[in-house]
Amino acid sequence: MKDVSVRSHIKHRISGAFFWFTMLFFYAPLLVLIVFSFNEGRSMNFTGFSFKWYKVLFFDSAKLWGSFYNTILIAVTSALVSTMIGTLGAIGIYWYNFKMKRYLEVVSYLPIILPEIIIGVSMLMFFAGMNMPLGLSTIIIAHITFNIPYVLLIVIARLSEFDYSIIEAAHDLGATEMDTLLKVIIPMCMPGIISGFLVAITLSVDDFVITFFVTGPGASTLPLHIYSMLRFGLSPAINALSV
């Protein structure tokens, strides 16, 4: 019994060490970013504690804040639309049988499989063919396009855990298809819907490649703005904004 207890204790210590090493690996860069947001100088040498870059951020970074607001607007709008379409699409694909169902399912997953540069170029060609001026609207459409499959997958995963007897009980109690959708299926899928919405926001905020192809004048996002700043050297105000 003593040997078993010793081995269990050793395993516990080893697993704990791996856990803290993993946490350090993931979060050390964030801690460094926070520390250097208070650095007085621009270099990677900490020259003194200062709120200088927070002052620059809030009072002398109009273009940076403009790109930040564009990013939030695009992310929230595209996430809302893609969540609605992806949720309804997941319910339709999972619950109903119809012609070309498998074909539609495969096509829906293509934006996940294809490289971003191919999606960006194809979206640019599409907008050019439609004579659509590039700007916030084209970025939002592009982000909706690549967000829908992620929402679709997450909601379908939630639906796979669904107890179909609840649907049958709702029908037995006189609920229509619309009542069942609004009062049973969607509420029970809400954790998956919220997860899909948050993933869509994250992907939209993070995207650079596709946005680079479909953006236009005055429609810069935060990743594009940071990329443009690389030519002149990144300002530590970016660290402050990240914090």
Side-chain angles (χ1 to χ4, degrees):
M1 291 291 295
K2 185 177 180 180
D3 292 341
V4 173
S5 177
V6 170
R7 285 197 295 268
S8 176
H9 179 70
I10 292 173
K11 289 180 180 179
H12 178 74
R13 296 292 295 271
I14 292 174
S15 63
F18 273 111
F19 170 79
W20 288 112
F21 175 78
T22 304
M23 291 298 100
L24 180 65
F25 179 81
F26 279 120
Y27 292 108
L30 299 181
L31 294 175
V32 171
L33 183 146
I34 293 172
V35 169
F36 279 92
S37 72
F38 297 102
N39 186 18
E40 187 176 10
R42 299 180 65 96
S43 66
M44 289 302 294
N45 297 320
F46 196 85
T47 57
F49 184 88
S50 173
F51 287 100
K52 171 184 177 181
W53 301 113
Y54 286 90
K55 182 179 178 181
V56 171
L57 173 66
F58 287 107
F59 299 104
D60 194 26
S61 301
K63 290 184 178 180
L64 181 61
W65 281 110
S67 63
F68 175 77
Y69 293 141
N70 286 342
T71 300
I72 298 302
L73 173 64
I74 293 167
V76 173
T77 304
S78 62
L80 284 172
V81 176
S82 59
T83 300
M84 288 189 289
I85 297 174
T87 299
L88 294 176
I91 294 171
I93 289 175
Y94 189 83
W95 287 116
Y96 300 100
N97 290 316
F98 51 88
K99 190 177 181 180
M100 302 180 71
K101 172 181 176 178
R102 294 300 178 188
Y103 173 78
L104 179 62
E105 191 172 359
V106 171
V107 171
S108 299
Y109 297 148
L110 280 180
I112 298 178
I113 302 169
L114 293 174
E116 285 192 340
I117 191 169
I118 294 178
I119 298 175
V121 172
S122 62
M123 293 297 292
L124 177 60
M125 294 174 63
F126 171 76
F127 294 137
M130 297 291 292
N131 292 320
M132 288 184 63
L134 299 180
L136 287 178
S137 59
T138 54
I139 297 176
I140 291 172
I141 293 172
H143 284 210
I144 292 171
T145 302
F146 69 72
N147 275 332
I148 288 175
Y150 292 96
V151 177
L152 198 73
L153 282 174
I154 294 171
V155 177
I156 284 180
R158 177 64 179 169
L159 286 170
S160 64
E161 303 172 357
F162 205 91
D163 185 1
Y164 190 74
S165 62
I166 298 176
I167 305 295
E168 294 176 337
H171 289 161
D172 289 341
L173 292 171
T176 63
E177 286 288 325
M178 186 59 66
D179 289 334
T180 305
L181 175 65
L182 297 178
K183 297 180 180 180
V184 180
I185 298 177
I186 290 181
M188 293 194 70
C189 290
M190 194 54 66
I193 295 171
I194 294 174
S195 298
F197 176 75
L198 295 177
V199 168
I201 285 183
T202 303
L203 292 171
S204 179
V205 171
D206 184 60
D207 184 73
F208 172 80
V209 176
I210 297 174
T211 307
F212 181 80
F213 282 97
V214 298
T215 190
S220 178
T221 62
L222 193 58
L224 294 179
H225 185 77
I226 294 174
Y227 175 75
S228 66
M229 291 174 66
L230 287 173
R231 293 176 295 177
F232 308 104
L234 279 175
S235 169
I238 294 296
N239 295 340
L241 178 63
S242 299
V243 174

